[in-house]
């Protein structure tokens, strides 16, 4: 027969495994985004300044940025679940209610956490929002301003702005 503490520890192992996988995937999305940026800018320059090609960058950045944000939120949710649900349930089963999973809480109390979170927010905004807006700006200044492409670029600007709002909303600066 399996007791409750073993079940809770097995659950902890499973969700930590998911969290680690999501962290690796999320972090690699930054490098993928830089690769996409380099490919789009490189192709634009290689084709003698076909600046309309820069319109490929915003949808790519928004897609990768949204995927990054969703994974980051799930990583945070796993940590919150461990701190608020799993740890208290396991703590009730331990002798003298010993603290469990202390790291899940301790690292959030770091004096530099707030500045790190603000810096990460700046990196996320720069990577997933400012860079595609810069590509749009270059297109608007140097590219062929045909109405279908202008319409596409306006829609892309709205998509990037929407992503920026979501990145800021999910930044977890207040905790």
């Amino acid at each position: 027969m399996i007791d409750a503490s073993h079940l809770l520890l097995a659950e902890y192992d499973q969700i930590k495994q998911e969290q680690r996988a999501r962290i690796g995937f999320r972090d690699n999305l930054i490098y993928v985004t830089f690769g996409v940026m380099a490919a789009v800018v490189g192709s634009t320059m290689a084709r003698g300044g076909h600046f309309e090609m820069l319109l490929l960058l915003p949808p790519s950045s928004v897609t990768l940025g949204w995927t990054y944000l969703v994974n980051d939120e799930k990583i945070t949710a796993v940590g919150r679940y461990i701190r608020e649900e799993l740890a208290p349930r396991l703590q009730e089963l331990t002798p003298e209610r010993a603290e469990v999973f202390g790291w899940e809480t301790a690292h959030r109390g770091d004096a530099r956490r707030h500045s790190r979170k603000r810096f990460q927010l700046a990196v996320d905004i720069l990577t997933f929002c400012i860079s595609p807006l810069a590509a749009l700006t270059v297109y608007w200044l140097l590219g062929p301003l045909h109405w279908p492409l202008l319409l596409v670029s306006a829609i892309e600007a709205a998509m990037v702005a929407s992503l920026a709002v979501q990145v800021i909303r999910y930044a977890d600066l207040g905790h």
Side-chain angles (χ1 to χ4, degrees):
M1 178 174 228
I2 300 174
D3 66 3
S5 62
H6 286 99
L7 287 174
L8 292 172
L9 288 171
E11 181 181 10
Y12 174 77
D13 286 340
Q14 286 292 11
I15 61 176
K16 284 305 281 187
Q17 185 176 31
E18 177 185 341
Q19 187 182 48
R20 281 189 294 275
R22 284 185 179 274
I23 288 169
F25 182 74
R26 178 204 59 192
D27 292 352
N28 283 326
L29 285 170
I30 297 280
Y31 304 119
V32 170
T33 302
F34 291 149
V36 167
M37 287 178 192
V40 169
V41 171
S43 295
T44 300
M45 295 299 132
R47 293 182 181 249
H50 281 269
F51 294 103
E52 64 274 12
M53 291 189 64
L54 292 174
L55 296 179
L56 297 171
L57 189 56
S60 301
S61 294
V62 167
T63 301
L64 292 166
W66 181 252
T67 305
Y68 176 92
L69 184 62
V70 167
N71 273 278
D72 191 60
E73 192 281 325
K74 294 300 181 205
I75 292 162
T76 300
V78 166
R80 186 173 44 251
Y81 176 76
I82 291 169
R83 286 188 311 278
E84 296 175 6
E85 300 291 330
L86 200 56
R89 288 176 20 217
L90 189 58
Q91 190 170 7
E92 287 179 13
L93 299 173
T94 62
E96 300 172 11
R97 298 191 183 234
E99 182 181 357
V100 294
F101 310 135
W103 173 248
E104 299 291 340
T105 304
H107 76 279
R108 295 181 60 84
D110 178 10
R112 295 188 195 124
R113 182 176 187 275
H114 189 69
S115 64
R116 275 195 318 275
K117 293 296 275 183
R118 293 175 69 85
F119 187 75
Q120 185 62 53
L121 173 60
V123 168
D124 294 348
I125 292 289
L126 178 64
T127 302
F128 298 112
C129 302
I130 301 297
S131 296
L133 288 178
L136 287 171
T137 301
V138 170
Y139 167 73
W140 291 327
L141 294 173
L142 303 174
L145 300 179
H146 307 299
W147 77 265
L149 294 178
L150 283 172
L151 179 61
V152 166
S153 69
I155 292 168
E156 290 178 349
M159 290 170 45
V160 172
S162 296
L163 177 63
V165 168
Q166 294 302 314
V167 169
I168 292 166
R169 286 183 64 211
Y170 282 97
D172 192 25
L173 295 177
H175 302 189

